[in-house]
């Protein structure tokens, strides 16, 4: 089976940088995804990692270490609209299994 | 524009009644999925389908049923056997290849009274 762990809640200040960690245990790893979900809405795709290393996309970056079963999502220059739940999801082998999500609150 | 449509957005039903949630996509995606989300929790897989006329149970299939008669459509029926049906239901679709993520519908919030 799959096991995905991420912190339940995090708080940060507008303009700051925050790192959301995700650890996973799985067989047949086939990529890791990060999604953003605002309350009552559908998740939206943020990033995808299948090889080790850092993927940067604007204010968002995602890192993967397959040997450690570890990923993080880095959000820079935080804005109030970044307050949302961030879901880590592992594809193994074809379906995505989601973590419980990290609720990020950005304070002024 | 291509996308995935769930209807209705809000649904109220009396306890003991079956209810069907609609999910339609025009993205030409092969695979479709149904997830359930409870407050403050992640997504749990109910059913998925990789091709037409075939579907598989996910982690929490009890009390639910699905069909996949057309590539574009994957309706979910919440039966009276589902003990706690009140939840947010999300439908998703994807290409069959591994590096594609999912496209989600906007969700249906089901409340059973």
């Amino acid at each position: 089976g799959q096991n995905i762990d991420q912190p339940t809640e995090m708080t940060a200040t507008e303009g700051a940088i925050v790192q959301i960690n995700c650890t996973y245990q799985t067989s047949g790893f086939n990529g890791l995804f990060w999604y953003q979900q605002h309350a009552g809405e559908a998740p939206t795709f943020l990033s995808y990692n299948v090889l080790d290393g850092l993927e940067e996309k604007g204010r968002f970056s995602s890192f993967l270490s397959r040997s450690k079963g570890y990923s993080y999502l880095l959000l820079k220059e935080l804005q109030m609209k970044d307050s949302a739940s961030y879901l880590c999801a592992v594809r193994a082998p074809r379906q995505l299994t989601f973590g419980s999500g990290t609720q990020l609150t950005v304070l002024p | 524009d291509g996308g995935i449509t769930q209807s209705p957005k809000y649904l109220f039903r009396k306890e003991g009644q079956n209810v069907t949630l609609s999910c339609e996509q025009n993205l030409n995606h092969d695979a479709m999925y149904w997830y359930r989300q409870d407050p403050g929790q992640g997504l749990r897989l109910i059913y998925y389908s990789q091709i037409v006329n075939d579907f598989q149970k996910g982690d929490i299939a009890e009390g639910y049923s699905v069909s996949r008669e057309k590539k574009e459509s994957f309706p979910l029926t919440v039966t009276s056997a589902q003990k706690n049906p009140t939840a947010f239901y999300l439908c998703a679709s994807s290409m069959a290849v591994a590096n594609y993520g999912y496209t989600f519908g906007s969700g249906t919030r089901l409340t059973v009274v």
Side-chain angles (χ1 to χ4, degrees):
Chain A
Q2 331 270 0
N3 188 39
I4 301 173
D5 289 312
Q6 44 181 138
T8 304
E9 297 178 328
M10 298 185 72
T11 303
T13 305
E14 193 174 13
I17 299 172
V18 70
Q19 177 175 311
I20 302 174
N21 295 324
C22 172
T23 57
Y24 64 90
Q25 294 173 315
T26 188
S27 56
F29 178 82
N30 216 356
L32 187 143
F33 295 80
W34 284 95
Y35 285 83
Q36 180 191 62
Q37 186 181 25
H38 286 98
E41 298 182 9
T44 55
F45 170 80
L46 288 178
S47 69
Y48 168 71
N49 296 72
V50 67
L51 300 176
D52 291 351
L54 188 68
E55 293 284 340
E56 296 186 80
K57 191 184 290 185
R59 295 190 298 116
F60 294 66
S61 303
S62 58
F63 171 83
L64 175 67
S65 168
R66 289 172 296 171
S67 62
K68 296 182 179 178
Y70 168 69
S71 173
Y72 68 71
L73 179 70
L74 193 71
L75 291 75
K76 304 175 185 175
E77 301 169 15
L78 280 173
Q79 302 175 9
M80 299 298 291
K81 67 179 182 179
D82 296 330
S83 289
S85 182
Y86 291 85
L87 306 174
C88 171
V90 173
R91 188 158 194 161
R94 288 186 172 274
Q95 289 78 39
L96 291 187
T97 298
F98 287 82
S100 297
T102 298
Q103 182 63 46
L104 174 66
T105 301
V106 180
L107 302 173
Chain B
D1 283 343
I4 182 166
T5 302
Q6 288 187 244
S7 61
K9 191 168 180 64
Y10 299 95
L11 191 54
F12 295 87
R13 277 295 181 269
K14 291 185 178 180
E15 197 171 334
Q17 290 182 335
N18 291 357
V19 61
T20 297
L21 281 59
S22 170
C23 179
E24 303 275 336
Q25 55 99 0
N26 60 2
L27 300 165
N28 200 31
H29 284 174
D30 299 304
M32 297 186 74
Y33 311 83
W34 274 105
Y35 285 90
R36 168 183 174 140
Q37 188 174 35
D38 294 286
Q41 297 191 28
L43 280 63
R44 292 186 290 169
L45 182 64
I46 304 172
Y47 268 98
Y48 65 97
S49 169
Q50 302 278 13
I51 57 173
V52 175
N53 292 323
D54 186 53
F55 48 83
Q56 307 295 330
K57 292 182 179 180
D59 301 320
I60 56 165
E62 186 175 349
Y64 300 97
S65 66
V66 293
S67 63
R68 187 87 187 274
E69 297 176 2
K70 299 185 300 181
K71 188 175 185 178
E72 302 79 17
S73 178
F74 191 42
L76 173 75
T77 298
V78 184
T79 75
S80 57
Q82 168 49 232
K83 296 287 187 278
N84 297 296
T86 295
F88 187 48
Y89 290 88
L90 284 161
C91 180
S93 68
S94 73
M95 295 290 285
V97 292
N99 64 344
Y100 270 73
Y102 292 2
T103 300
F104 284 89
S106 56
T108 293
R109 188 166 298 280
L110 173 64
T111 302
V112 176
V113 296

